[in-house]
Amino acid sequence: MHTSVATIIILSGLSSSGKTSTAKALQRAFAVQNKPYIHMPIDEFVGLLPAEWCNFDTSKNIVQNPDGIVLKRTSDAKGPRVSIELGPVGMNLVMAYMPVVATIAAYGTNVIIDGVFGTPYLHEAAKHFKDFRVYT
């Protein structure tokens, strides 16, 4: 393991709220200071699944496997809604994300993560990130 303590920056917010743009701006700003960070958004991590198991582009007519990650668009009196349903494969992958980030940080690599992280998931992150500098 690396001897320096890595930093993990967590950007959490609603979809399309600027998390990825902020992460890329931070990445550039730190690079100028000779402090490299990798950007590891959860969307790209779960996007490693085949499209049939994780399809965030509902404009594509792909039959989704319910055991993966299913994006559902609905509408009600309050307007359009998007929900994500996790099957067992999807849940396993989502739960593996924080330990994977922690493993990368354990080798001294600074990491910026972004996603729509709810409070229970952030509590889970705290368990894995306790040995690192963490900013939210």
Side-chain angles (χ1 to χ4, degrees):
M1 300 278 175
H2 199 271
T3 56
S4 68
V5 176
T7 299
I8 300 171
I9 299 173
I10 302 172
L11 302 175
S12 181
L14 299 174
S15 181
S16 301
S17 63
K19 298 177 301 295
T20 298
S21 298
T22 300
K24 291 189 181 303
L26 285 169
Q27 201 176 27
R28 286 189 300 275
F30 285 121
V32 169
Q33 300 173 26
N34 201 31
K35 297 176 184 173
Y37 278 74
I38 65 165
H39 176 216
M40 193 172 163
I42 193 166
D43 288 354
E44 288 185 18
F45 185 73
V46 298
L48 297 170
L49 283 170
E52 296 81 9
W53 290 76
C54 179
N55 177 24
F56 291 142
D57 183 356
T58 56
S59 67
K60 293 180 181 174
N61 196 13
I62 297 174
V63 175
Q64 295 185 337
N65 188 312
D67 288 344
I69 300 172
V70 178
L71 183 73
K72 292 196 173 186
R73 294 187 188 275
T74 58
S75 189
D76 62 18
K78 294 181 180 180
R81 301 249 183 242
V82 176
S83 66
I84 297 174
E85 295 180 4
L86 299 174
V89 172
M91 180 61 81
N92 287 344
L93 189 59
V94 167
M95 294 311 293
Y97 176 70
M98 295 299 183
V100 168
V101 171
T103 299
I104 292 168
Y107 284 91
T109 302
N110 299 316
V111 185
I112 301 170
I113 64 172
D114 79 60
V116 181
F117 303 123
T119 302
Y121 201 64
L122 291 173
H123 285 271
E124 183 68 22
K127 293 182 210 173
H128 297 287
F129 298 169
K130 65 183 179 345
D131 296 329
F132 310 107
R133 287 184 301 267
V134 179
Y135 299 95
T136 57

